[in-house]
Amino acid sequence: MERLVTADSPAVEPEVRTKTSLLEEEGEVAADYLEELLDIADLDGDIDIDVDHGRAAVEVVADEAGSLRHLVGAHGEVLDALQELTRLAVQTRTGERSRLMLDIAGYRAGRRVELTALAEETIEKVRTTGEKLALAPMNAFERKVVHDAVTASGLVSESHGVEPSRYIEVSPAAEVDSSSED
């Protein structure tokens, strides 16, 4: 049966969806995908969904320490691949590009702590020497953590190179040239 809306009948307002509700839906879709994956692989794990810094954040956790280690892989390479597959599954279901962050067994959380410490050491060296310093190649997640720390310190960081050899160069804050006026 078709319903007609006339000037005399009230129009039904479409459901207003907030950015947070869309991100929560993205997390639910990702959780469904990951639950199926864990079932296929016969692995036990709980899935936590959150919204963090404007992105859906999903973490797979296990009661047994180390039981999900092979889903992280060496240097997080398997985790990166699973994140991309999960993003594709979300995009297929929602029709929207996903920026979802996936963590497994706390790997990214631990890596964030390590990278923040590395960034702080690098910041101190650059401040002490006044010279640029290049870091070893990193993936996009790792570079973002370092860029955020460097920016917060008032120094400058730039990414150079191409994947998988993309790296960050940290340099002293650019001094403003007061003789030029625009």
Side-chain angles (χ1 to χ4, degrees):
M1 181 165 138
E2 191 173 316
R3 180 181 168 151
L4 298 174
V5 177
T6 64
D8 297 337
S9 64
V12 177
E13 291 292 322
E15 180 184 345
V16 177
R17 306 206 49 207
T18 65
K19 176 82 171 162
T20 301
S21 68
L22 292 171
L23 291 172
E24 288 169 348
E25 177 186 347
E26 192 175 311
E28 291 293 336
V29 170
D32 290 345
Y33 175 78
L34 291 165
E35 282 176 0
E36 287 181 37
L37 179 79
L38 290 172
D39 285 345
I40 291 167
D42 195 29
L43 295 171
D44 291 325
D46 293 323
I47 299 176
D48 294 333
I49 304 167
D50 198 5
V51 174
D52 186 29
H53 294 93
R55 336 176 136 191
V58 178
E59 181 175 8
V60 180
V61 294
D63 292 335
E64 250 181 75
S67 66
L68 299 174
R69 184 180 23 219
H70 55 287
L71 292 180
V72 172
H75 309 289
E77 290 157 347
V78 175
L79 172 57
D80 289 341
L82 287 173
Q83 177 173 281
E84 286 308 308
L85 289 172
T86 305
R87 286 177 174 177
L88 286 171
V90 169
Q91 182 175 347
T92 299
R93 178 85 67 81
T94 66
E96 298 291 325
R97 183 178 173 273
S98 173
R99 294 178 52 233
L100 171 126
M101 285 298 297
L102 176 62
D103 194 2
I104 296 177
Y107 175 81
R108 287 202 200 278
R111 189 71 179 128
R112 183 181 303 273
V113 170
E114 293 171 6
L115 291 164
T116 300
L118 172 65
E120 289 170 359
E121 290 173 22
T122 303
I123 290 163
E124 187 57 37
K125 287 178 185 173
V126 170
R127 282 188 175 143
T128 301
T129 65
E131 296 179 11
K132 294 179 181 181
L133 185 61
L135 300 176
M138 298 177 191
N139 67 33
F141 161 76
E142 295 170 330
R143 289 192 312 271
K144 171 119 176 59
V145 172
V146 173
H147 281 305
D148 289 349
V150 171
T151 299
S153 76
L155 297 184
V156 177
S157 61
E158 289 183 278
S159 291
H160 299 283
V162 293
E163 297 293 349
S165 299
R166 199 150 166 80
Y167 66 95
I168 293 177
E169 186 175 73
V170 180
S171 56
E175 295 187 21
V176 178
D177 184 0
S178 59
S179 64
S180 66
E181 293 186 34
D182 283 321

